[in-house]
Amino acid sequence: MLAQDAVNSGDTAWVLVCAGLVLFMTPGLAVFYGGMVRTRNVLAMLQQNMVALGVVSLTWVLVGYTIAFGDDAGTGLFGNLELFGLNDLRVPPAPHLHVVTGQVTIPTLAFVAYQMMFAVITPALVTGATAGRLKFAGWVAFLAIWSIVVYAPVAHWLWHPDGWLARFGTQDWAGGMVVHASAGAAVLGTLLVVGRRRGWPRTASPPNSIPLTILGAGILWFGWFGFNGGDGLQANGLAAQALINTHLAAAAGMLVWLVAERLKDGHSTVVGGVSGAVAGLATVTPAAGYVNTLSAIAIGAIAGIVCHFALRLKYLLRLDDALDVLAVHFVGGMLGSLLVGFFGDSGVNPLGKDGLLFGGGGSLLWHQIVGVVAVVAFSFVLSWAIAAAVQAVLGLRAPADEQDNLDHAQQDADAYHLGGVAGLNGTGAPQRRREPGRERGAERPARPAQNARLVTATVNPTLLPTTRELRDALVGAGATSIVLFDATVSTAEPTARSLPRGYWQDQDLVGRARVEVVVEREAVSAVLDVLGRYGAERSECFVQDVQLATDVR
């Protein structure tokens, strides 16, 4: 063990920066998931992810760190409790599998902070699978217990030099097993308890904001440089190798997914692209510091095709994995851990081993298989037990009548306050001056109608021009009053709507804009002609006699 005065400022600065990058991944994950859920469940999804920063940070400092990285209790299964509450941190962490030279040159607290961010984001991955079904109090309890009972022991097995899998020879650079496989197995156990959403799989859940999802994916990609780049705990060539391996695997995963999507569904989508990138990132995670550049590209490409076709896994297992955590993270984490056994290269990292393709035989692959099976089995069984216990005591599954609008039920708030009509293009110009005394909305289309008729129709919002052009066309046809608002109408034939990752849904009710126009009797036909240009069928329009309020005595 090194003395504390052996600290290297460059290594310390790099690890602290990487800790910040990994922390940034948690809000990135929240945004990534938040964009893919229904409009009325956005805030609940954001909160379920962000609360992990509060809950798991505290459990990690109090007891998680000592279980994961305290001196082994003698069985290789967990550390002792001597470092409870970070007590007696006088020396740097012990050298472990990720360190090139066998020396640790960073303060212990830097190591604690860096590893804390891994502990935070791992259980947050589960929220993507359980979207729309979690009761907040139960989820907080699950987070706290899981981070101590499941995550910390698995981290000890693989990342402590005396962990039983570490001694056995299993390698996991940055969390293919510790993070992704364990979280994926937790998804399996948790879904058995919380069950399916109402109507699944017959009804699909459209994303509320694909741009929000893309932003989240970008944050995850950026943060992954710290996720994989800092695990050697040194600012050196191996850190650079891990970083470029991370980026290239994501790039390969993205492109292969796009090609597979094009061949299978007839189009390549932006959500498919970032899904492939995240699959590549998750899959290269256990290998980033143990393989060369070409191997990282191959791993990303394999991830792109395997994880893409693993999207069907949830239907085979009959598990309602809402946002495909099983396909991307669970399959990706296990796949990458096994691929270390093929692509491991001791020339990249002297502490690594040669895999099957580099003359090392099947020994490393066997060690990886044992590690994957052990971690998945352990996490699955305990995650199911924790979820079942929380469900029995506090309730983990949200009541059925709340699941379609968790934001109102849990937060009494809405994420968005814009409708389709409010989103129509308007007219205007920078610094436009208004005449004195002329306020917005003061101008009326025309004089009040004398022999009034009310024309009501529904039009297709996608065909509408700007509000000014629509107003001018109706006024030109003789309208004296115009009201426009959102509406939903039934269709004779269901409309197929594409969803991310090759899914689709039939919609029996579609969005339309409802227009009410007051017009003199002679101009009714002209108004109907204008509305017809925007999708209004005459057989579905109504014309009624009306009495203006000014005529009421």
Side-chain angles (χ1 to χ4, degrees):
M1 193 75 76
L2 295 175
Q4 189 66 57
D5 59 4
V7 167
N8 179 282
S9 59
D11 293 341
T12 302
W14 171 240
V15 171
L16 291 176
V17 167
C18 288
L21 289 172
V22 180
L23 183 151
F24 193 36
M25 291 176 72
T26 297
L29 184 69
V31 173
F32 182 71
Y33 285 165
M36 288 197 289
V37 299
R38 294 180 177 180
T39 304
R40 292 170 291 185
N41 288 341
V42 177
L43 297 180
M45 174 58 73
L46 296 178
Q47 185 180 50
Q48 288 167 17
N49 282 267
M50 295 302 293
V51 75
L53 283 166
V55 174
V56 181
S57 296
L58 295 180
T59 61
W60 179 252
V61 166
L62 292 175
V63 68
Y65 178 78
T66 190
I67 292 175
F69 294 104
D71 290 338
D72 188 74
T75 61
L77 297 177
F78 47 83
N80 60 35
L81 299 180
E82 291 181 359
L83 300 179
F84 178 85
L86 302 186
N87 183 46
D88 194 23
L89 294 181
R90 293 175 296 179
V91 293
H96 59 92
L97 294 177
H98 307 154
V99 182
V100 177
T101 64
Q103 291 188 340
V104 178
T105 57
I106 63 173
T108 307
L109 283 177
F111 181 75
V112 172
Y114 180 61
Q115 289 294 335
M116 179 194 299
M117 304 314 165
F118 284 75
V120 166
I121 197 171
T122 301
L125 293 172
V126 175
T127 62
T130 57
R133 281 157 287 172
L134 291 183
K135 187 176 179 180
F136 182 65
W139 171 241
V140 170
F142 181 91
L143 271 177
I145 299 170
W146 194 91
S147 66
I148 296 171
V149 174
V150 178
Y151 179 83
V154 172
H156 185 82
W157 296 358
L158 285 154
W159 287 346
H160 192 283
D162 294 324
W164 75 274
L165 284 177
R167 294 200 309 263
F168 181 68
T170 304
Q171 296 190 328
D172 186 2
W173 175 256
M177 285 177 265
V178 176
V179 176
H180 297 285
S182 68
V187 165
L188 293 174
T190 306
L191 287 179
L192 292 179
V193 175
V194 301
R196 306 169 183 171
R197 289 166 294 177
R198 184 172 56 185
W200 187 89
R202 296 184 306 277
T203 58
S205 177
N208 75 89
S209 175
I210 289 178
L212 197 65
T213 293
I214 305 310
L215 173 62
I219 294 173
L220 288 174
W221 195 329
F222 175 64
W224 229 295
F225 290 154
F227 199 87
N228 289 350
D231 284 82
L233 306 184
Q234 294 176 331
N236 57 13
L238 183 58
Q241 181 70 68
L243 189 149
I244 198 167
N245 284 351
T246 300
H247 182 70
L248 293 177
M254 168 183 279
L255 296 181
V256 170
W257 188 298
L258 289 173
V259 172
E261 195 175 48
R262 175 72 177 182
L263 295 175
K264 181 176 178 289
D265 303 319
H267 50 262
S268 300
T269 67
V270 65
V271 172
V274 297
S275 298
V278 173
L281 291 165
T283 305
V284 81
T285 289
Y290 295 128
V291 302
N292 63 36
T293 304
L294 290 178
S295 295
I297 295 174
I299 289 171
I302 294 171
I305 190 70
V306 172
C307 293
H308 175 76
F309 286 102
L311 292 174
R312 303 299 302 175
L313 183 63
K314 63 183 180 182
Y315 297 110
L316 295 175
L317 298 176
R318 304 296 296 172
L319 293 172
D320 183 9
D321 173 9
L323 306 183
D324 299 307
V325 178
L326 292 176
V328 175
H329 295 281
F330 186 45
V331 171
M334 293 191 298
L335 176 64
S337 298
L338 297 178
L339 290 177
V340 172
F342 289 90
F343 293 102
D345 184 357
S346 60
V348 172
N349 184 346
L351 290 182
K353 301 175 185 177
D354 289 324
L356 197 62
L357 300 181
F358 287 81
S363 175
L364 179 57
L365 179 58
W366 167 244
H367 294 158
Q368 298 302 105
I369 293 173
V370 171
V372 168
V373 171
V375 169
V376 169
F378 177 79
S379 179
F380 169 71
V381 172
L382 285 187
S383 298
W384 173 84
I386 295 168
V390 172
Q391 173 67 13
V393 177
L394 293 176
L396 183 59
R397 177 182 172 90
D401 59 348
E402 295 181 1
Q403 292 180 19
D404 289 333
N405 199 343
L406 289 180
D407 288 355
H408 273 193
Q410 297 181 1
Q411 304 200 22
D412 194 25
D414 294 309
Y416 305 108
H417 300 279
L418 288 177
V421 173
L424 286 177
N425 293 325
T427 56
Q431 299 180 346
R432 181 178 177 179
R433 292 181 177 273
R434 287 194 177 86
E435 298 176 8
R438 181 177 175 180
E439 301 298 330
R440 184 186 300 272
E443 182 183 3
R444 304 300 300 172
R447 70 186 190 282
Q450 300 301 313
N451 192 3
R453 297 291 186 273
L454 175 64
V455 178
T456 304
T458 57
V459 298
N460 189 339
T462 62
L463 300 178
L464 286 177
T466 64
T467 53
R468 173 55 61 87
E469 290 171 352
L470 174 64
R471 172 189 176 279
D472 288 347
L474 289 172
V475 170
T480 60
S481 175
I482 304 167
V483 177
L484 181 68
F485 51 94
D486 291 314
T488 303
V489 300
S490 63
T491 59
E493 294 291 335
T495 300
R497 178 180 181 182
S498 296
L499 299 177
R501 296 171 177 159
Y503 302 130
W504 58 275
Q505 67 175 359
D506 282 336
Q507 289 186 311
D508 299 303
L509 296 172
V510 295
R512 289 290 183 263
R514 180 182 173 97
V515 184
E516 292 184 351
V517 180
V518 176
V519 61
E520 292 185 355
R521 182 176 60 186
E522 293 77 10
V524 168
S525 181
V527 167
L528 289 173
D529 288 341
V530 170
L531 295 175
R533 298 204 298 263
Y534 306 118
E537 298 288 341
R538 287 223 176 188
S539 60
E540 297 177 354
C541 297
F542 299 92
V543 179
Q544 301 169 277
D545 292 331
V546 296
Q547 183 178 14
L548 299 179
T550 54
D551 297 331
V552 176
R553 298 291 185 266

